[in-house]
Amino acid sequence: MKKLKVAVVTLGDSRKEFYKKREHIVQSEMEKVRAAFGGRYDITMTPVIFDPEEGQRAADEIRSAGIHAVILHLPVWATPSLAFRVADSTSYPVLLLGNLQRDTSSLVTLLAVAGMLDQAGKSCIRVSGDYSDREVKEKVDTYIAAVSLAEGIRRSSFGMIGGRSIGIGTTVADPIQWQSQFGIEFDHCDQYEIVYRAQEMNPARVETHLRWAKEHVPNIQYGGRFTQDSLELQVRSYLALKDMTAEKNTIFWGLNASRT
């Protein structure tokens, strides 16, 4: 399985003379991040950020690489304002990752950065502790999985077949609302497109799928409206939808069938 892309950006102190005294802590903490998450994700670790322009370059690199999950790593005291441009590299919340060691001032920086981003209207998730700790890993994993899911939805396409079913308003989704909230593209077609395609389906292809169904379902019980002809119609309709999905590159469908 392809690993999810994650950017880890470590913030430094713009007072480089002071930063130098703690550089060994930063390097050690960065190695801990690699050890904890490098095997799980495709991680891009940028050079330590010391000024806004370096933050802008890191943000540009993150965008160009198509990375949406961004972790702001705060191993020691860092200049909080350096976080803004990096956080702006993604449309999703960023995760602030720090430690709880008393000699690092990591937690103080995390709170300062979180407060600044909150005021700027940028959502962030606060995580502090030992990076190898199970609870810390679960929080980071949850964040990355959520960003990946949201981005996957944003890139998806919805196929809307038919209209409101027998006047039931609760069965209808507003595609414009989906588009504005989730970024989902959508298309519409009449439900009878399935009927027309099913009627014109290659008989040999239908027979192949019918044979597969009968071989893998040990007991098919016909009765009432469920006959061999209706089973064949179901297979034809399934194949029609499958073809429509491939042609339109649709990820999922909503089928509102009128009662006849």
Side-chain angles (χ1 to χ4, degrees), residues 13 28 43 54 118 129 138 147 152 155 179 185 226 247 256:
D13 192 329
S28 175
I43 289 182
E54 290 178 348
D118 283 346
E138 285 181 353
V147 170
R155 292 171 177 270
Q179 204 166 37
E185 183 55 85
F226 181 51
E247 291 174 13
N256 295 318

Side-chain angles (χ1 to χ4, degrees), residues 191-203 205-206 229-244:
Q191 60 191 335
Y192 260 80
E193 184 169 348
I194 299 174
V195 177
Y196 297 143
R197 286 173 178 259
Q199 291 173 344
E200 300 298 322
M201 194 63 59
N202 186 324
R205 186 182 177 200
V206 175
D229 289 341
S230 63
L231 175 60
E232 179 181 330
L233 179 59
Q234 289 179 34
V235 170
R236 287 176 173 270
S237 300
Y238 163 77
L239 293 174
L241 268 173
K242 191 172 182 180
D243 291 347
M244 291 164 63

Side-chain angles (χ1 to χ4, degrees), residues 82-97:
L82 297 176
F84 182 74
R85 291 189 178 181
V86 178
D88 198 43
S89 66
T90 176
S91 60
Y92 299 103
V94 294
L95 185 140
L96 309 182
L97 182 63

